Amino acid sequence: MGDLRTKKTFASLVQAFLHLLEKYRFEDISVKQLCESANIRRATFYTHFADKYEFLSFFIQEMRKELLNHITSMNLGMPETSEEYCDKLFHEMMKFFEAHPQLVRNLQDSQMMPVLMEIFAETVQNGVYEYLCGLPGKQEDDVKQLKACFYAGGILRLVQLWMKDPEKFQVAEISWLKFVV
């Protein structure tokens, strides 16, 4: 990530973007608006990102890292199985979504929803794959990729079901471990 200034710039952008997503749909947020909200110059933004779509990918990656750090700190270590990891990842993501209902509504109303979900799915899949690579034991890389795809797809579909009807799907009642055979 670089020096302290860069870290502060990224942190400011992430917080400003989260704040803006609470108010506006993704496509209604401009780089100028994001930079003003983050109190940085546009030139600084473009030094690090080609456009707001590249920043969005970075933002999702940062949110994933934050969730993983939270999971690790709660557990005093990473979960021991991929199923436990996915269960914790799902529930931590859902806590975030439940705490930001307007953000969820803005995402649902966004014309970018399919693209956002694709970026989200890819980010979750990469995170699960990284976790699987860190587990002890030998497993073929292809198998890890397939498992990561499977788990990420399941997490994504659960999030989508919940977004359609949060009252029908109570997050506390969903246990990933119940679904894995």
Side-chain angles (χ1 to χ4, degrees):
M1 218 195 256
D3 67 10
L4 184 59
R5 267 188 324 205
T6 303
K7 289 179 183 179
K8 286 183 177 183
T9 296
F10 288 167
S12 182
L13 283 167
V14 165
Q15 286 304 319
F17 192 62
L18 183 58
H19 178 73
L20 290 170
L21 282 174
E22 291 274 352
K23 295 180 177 181
Y24 308 103
R25 298 177 312 153
F26 172 75
E27 56 268 30
D28 297 333
I29 299 171
S30 68
V31 171
K32 179 182 178 199
Q33 188 179 22
L34 175 59
C35 291
E36 286 173 359
S37 183
N39 204 21
I40 67 162
R41 294 182 10 225
R42 284 175 57 179
T44 302
F45 177 89
Y46 286 114
T47 297
H48 301 287
F49 307 101
D51 54 29
K52 72 178 188 177
Y53 302 96
E54 186 176 311
F55 175 74
L56 174 66
S57 184
F58 170 81
F59 173 80
I60 292 172
Q61 192 72 280
E62 288 300 299
M63 297 307 289
R64 183 184 68 86
K65 285 180 197 173
E66 199 172 300
L67 285 173
L68 294 181
N69 288 340
H70 182 68
I71 290 169
T72 303
S73 69
M74 281 176 26
N75 237 15
L76 301 174
M78 289 300 275
E80 293 182 18
T81 68
S82 53
E83 291 84 4
E84 289 173 354
Y85 172 83
C86 290
D87 191 61
K88 289 188 183 305
L89 181 61
F90 169 74
H91 282 90
E92 288 304 312
M93 287 186 322
M94 296 312 297
K95 282 181 192 176
F96 173 81
F97 288 138
E98 287 179 321
H100 299 89
Q102 186 59 47
L103 179 140
V104 171
R105 285 189 290 278
N106 287 341
L107 289 175
Q108 288 174 311
D109 292 342
S110 174
Q111 296 172 359
M112 293 294 300
M113 185 63 164
V115 173
L116 296 172
M117 292 308 273
E118 183 61 33
I119 292 169
F120 176 77
E122 185 177 318
T123 302
V124 171
Q125 183 175 334
N126 289 340
V128 173
Y129 174 75
E130 288 171 16
Y131 172 78
L132 293 173
C133 287
L135 289 176
K138 290 197 171 209
Q139 198 170 52
E140 295 294 320
D141 192 58
D142 290 348
V143 173
K144 291 176 192 172
Q145 288 285 358
L146 290 171
K147 278 186 173 181
C149 183
F150 173 77
Y151 290 138
I155 290 171
L156 180 63
R157 290 300 297 152
L158 284 172
V159 168
Q160 288 173 323
L161 281 172
W162 176 83
M163 287 175 94
K164 284 181 182 175
D165 191 356
E167 301 303 317
K168 183 176 180 184
F169 296 97
Q170 298 297 312
V171 174
E173 295 174 8
I174 298 173
S175 173
W176 184 265
L177 301 174
K178 291 179 185 176
F179 300 120
V180 179
V181 179

